[in-house]
Amino acid sequence: MRRALFALVLAAAGTVGAIALAQSDIFDPVVIAENERQQLREAKEQSVQAMARSAQFEAQALAARSEAERLKKQSAALAARIQSAEADIRAGEARVALVNRRLAIRRARLAEQQKPLLELSATLQQLSRQPPVSVLAQPGSLRDMVHARAVLDATLPIIEHRTAGVRRELAELRTAQQHQAIALKALAASKEQLAERRDTLTRLENEGRLRSRELISSARLEADRALGLGEKARDIVELMDTLETDSAVRAELARLPGPIARPRDPSRASSQPAPPAPVEPELTVGAYRLPVVGRIIAGLGEVNDSGVRSRGITVAAQPGGQVVAPAPGRVSFAGDYRGYGKIIIIDHGGGWTSLITGLIGLSAGVGDVLDAGMPIGRAGSNDSRITIELRRAGRPVDIVAMLG
């Protein structure tokens, strides 16, 4: 009994110690600064990757043979540039936070060094206000004055050393303020670029919709059917299972051999082998990427505040962040769904399916065939958390492992 009680006390002490350590990490300025530096490095890397994708899509747009293909690649290039600007904004915010923290440290050091100097300056000013005649008239004042002079001669090197430190702190403070101004200017420029690129993408998407008006009727029929499936499904898992079944049936129909053309001379007709079935695509490591720029705040299997275990990952994106297709596929569902906001389900073929929730706007509809990186929607302005679930044959797959 005593051993069990002792073990319980040790466990409780360990738990309290872990909580105290976690809290110390949360409020430790060194840990906070290191987290901000890590966010800055991640944002810079995301910006470079997005610009590389944009250059790749622009090259593909120039080589496109059809107008529709050119518009798709241009939209993907613009979406990548938008994500690059969003990553630049995130990097700018982290940079401003680091510079502000450095400014606060410099100001605190300067105030600490200025305090004794201010007291000394006040004493010297008080001595300077006393007339020399009154000093000579006082008994023993000459001896005191010589003593004070000797003390001042001894303290002058110390004063010069202290003031040199203060001057150095002032120079570093001015440098930090200049860095702050540069960081704020870069952040403002990134925000302007983001607004311009979003306007350009909106115009390009409108142009694409005008060019595809002849396909609207069939797309509406398929969208209505998808919405009907969504109303019948009891929850989002059942909806995805139904859409995966439809995808499997569609794939089986696509693999059926087409009709053989009737020969002109039946006597020369020979049995021709059926054409080979198309190979279904297979997602490999590195072929999948995050659809939005941001920081992963929840992973597969983690339990949220509501006690529900996550089937995917959650990313904290920039307000109104651009969301793109994580891999090539076909949109099976796009619209509002119970408590999830606007969602989009993409069928990648081969039993692979992506579910993306938390969108505030959609730029892709049911039946759209997407390339990786094509814009599909935007994150919310207030709650910009985007959740992504990747499934294969109805089972959740760890997205982080697929990202390489």
Side-chain angles (χ1 to χ4, degrees):
M1 182 68 179
R2 289 180 179 177
R3 291 182 179 178
L5 182 61
F6 183 68
L8 184 61
V9 170
L10 284 179
T15 303
V16 172
I19 294 174
L21 181 61
Q23 290 179 348
S24 65
D25 288 344
I26 292 173
F27 297 105
D28 187 359
V30 177
V31 176
I32 294 174
E34 182 57 32
N35 290 336
E36 290 170 348
R37 292 191 188 95
Q38 180 64 25
Q39 292 181 16
L40 178 59
R41 289 191 290 266
E42 290 177 356
K44 284 183 176 180
E45 185 178 356
Q46 288 176 342
S47 177
V48 171
Q49 292 175 353
M51 287 302 295
R53 290 197 302 269
S54 176
Q56 182 181 2
F57 286 131
E58 286 176 351
Q60 293 175 359
L62 292 174
R65 297 182 178 180
S66 65
E67 187 68 15
E69 186 68 18
R70 183 186 65 81
L71 285 174
K72 288 172 62 176
K73 297 301 181 181
Q74 284 183 345
S75 298
L78 271 173
R81 284 185 173 272
I82 289 173
Q83 289 188 334
S84 173
E86 291 170 354
D88 289 339
I89 290 174
R90 186 176 168 224
E93 291 172 348
R95 190 179 295 110
V96 169
L98 283 171
V99 173
N100 288 341
R101 191 174 305 282
R102 195 178 305 158
L103 271 174
I105 294 173
R106 296 295 181 195
R107 285 169 178 162
R109 289 180 181 175
L110 184 61
E112 184 179 354
Q113 292 188 10
Q114 280 180 332
K115 185 178 179 180
L117 293 178
L118 290 175
E119 294 176 354
L120 179 61
S121 300
T123 304
L124 292 176
Q125 286 181 1
Q126 188 176 2
L127 289 175
S128 65
R129 291 174 184 173
Q130 189 174 5
V133 177
S134 63
V135 174
L136 294 175
Q138 294 178 1
S141 59
L142 183 60
R143 185 174 62 253
D144 293 340
M145 185 174 65
V146 172
H147 178 70
R149 178 66 181 177
V151 170
L152 285 175
D153 289 341
T155 56
L156 275 176
I158 300 176
I159 294 173
E160 290 178 356
H161 178 71
R162 291 280 183 90
T163 53
V166 172
R167 287 194 297 271
R168 186 170 57 253
E169 289 291 340
L170 283 172
E172 292 178 354
L173 181 63
R174 284 192 292 270
T175 302
Q177 288 174 339
Q178 292 174 357
H179 291 168
Q180 183 191 40
I182 293 172
L184 290 172
K185 185 176 180 181
L187 181 60
S190 299
K191 290 181 178 179
E192 290 180 1
Q193 286 183 352
L194 177 62
E196 293 175 359
R197 290 170 183 176
R198 281 178 176 171
D199 292 341
T200 306
L201 180 60
T202 301
R203 290 195 296 269
L204 198 62
E205 287 177 344
N206 291 334
E207 182 181 352
R209 291 191 186 98
L210 290 175
R211 292 180 179 274
S212 60
R213 275 185 176 177
E214 64 273 8
L215 303 176
I216 286 180
S217 57
S218 59
R220 281 179 179 172
L221 291 175
E222 194 168 357
D224 291 341
R225 183 175 179 277
L227 290 176
L229 292 175
E231 292 176 357
K232 291 180 181 179
R234 289 174 297 181
D235 55 21
I236 199 165
V237 175
E238 184 177 345
L239 172 61
M240 293 188 70
D241 289 339
T242 304
L243 293 175
E244 286 174 3
T245 303
D246 282 357
S247 173
V249 172
R250 188 166 54 247
E252 290 291 337
L253 292 175
R255 282 195 292 266
L256 292 176
I260 301 175
R262 184 176 180 180
R264 294 182 179 180
D265 188 0
S267 60
R268 295 183 180 180
S270 60
S271 58
Q272 298 179 354
V279 179
E280 291 184 343
E282 179 73 16
L283 287 182
T284 57
V285 175
Y288 200 89
R289 64 166 173 260
L290 287 181
V292 66
V293 168
R295 181 170 52 92
I296 297 177
I297 58 176
L300 178 68
E302 294 187 14
V303 180
N304 59 17
D305 298 335
S306 304
V308 179
R309 191 173 297 277
S310 173
R311 297 185 299 269
I313 64 173
T314 301
V315 179
Q318 289 288 331
Q322 181 66 56
V323 184
V324 301
R330 182 178 178 277
V331 179
S332 300
F333 187 93
D336 294 288
Y337 197 77
R338 314 159 189 170
Y340 291 90
K342 294 184 183 299
I343 72 169
I344 187 166
I345 299 176
I346 304 175
D347 176 19
H348 303 293
W352 294 88
T353 308
S354 289
L355 166 67
I356 302 172
T357 66
L359 301 169
I360 196 174
L362 297 173
S363 53
V366 176
D368 289 352
V369 178
L370 304 174
D371 293 334
M374 286 191 62
I376 59 175
R378 290 173 63 179
S381 55
N382 297 325
D383 186 6
S384 56
R385 297 186 177 186
I386 299 295
T387 300
I388 309 105
E389 296 181 17
L390 176 63
R391 299 184 5 150
R392 185 183 188 188
R395 295 185 177 182
V397 178
D398 186 9
I399 297 177
V400 178
M402 296 298 298
L403 295 175

